[in-house]
Amino acid sequence: SLTDKKVAIIGAGAIGSLVAMSLVRGGAKHIGIWDGDTVEPGNLCRSIYTNRNVGRNKARELSNTLKTISPFQILKVHSPEK
């Protein structure tokens, strides 16, 4: 069961953000997200981000979005500064 697994998402861009969303919707509860990049306008058409996320850290913004899908997640954000 996904509920008992710990999952690491390395990169919160096009693929990572969609995988993370699918995992949360599938019941995953323990997710670590690693990404030090920021959301750029070019990312919007390929990922779950919106205009309000532009200029902000991808890992933090993905974590915030996942919490709106399911507030019971244990999310750890790892976003090294550039």
Side-chain angles (χ1 to χ4, degrees):
S1 163
L2 281 175
T3 305
D4 303 327
K5 306 291 186 222
K6 291 183 179 179
V7 180
I9 303 290
I10 311 298
I15 295 171
S17 65
L18 295 172
V19 167
M21 184 174 65
S22 294
L23 286 167
V24 166
R25 292 187 187 278
K29 295 216 182 271
H30 302 275
I31 300 174
I33 304 167
W34 278 262
D35 201 318
D37 201 7
T38 57
V39 179
E40 298 176 9
N43 301 131
L44 302 182
C45 64
R46 297 182 304 272
S47 60
I48 66 169
Y49 303 110
T50 64
N51 282 331
R52 72 172 186 82
N53 304 120
V54 172
R56 298 180 180 173
N57 177 267
K58 287 181 180 178
R60 287 189 191 101
E61 292 303 298
L62 178 56
S63 175
N64 293 337
T65 300
L66 296 177
K67 287 177 187 174
T68 65
I69 294 170
S70 177
F72 308 107
Q73 305 309 308
I74 299 169
L75 302 168
K76 294 188 180 183
V77 174
H78 308 273
S79 57
E81 298 297 323
K82 285 188 172 184

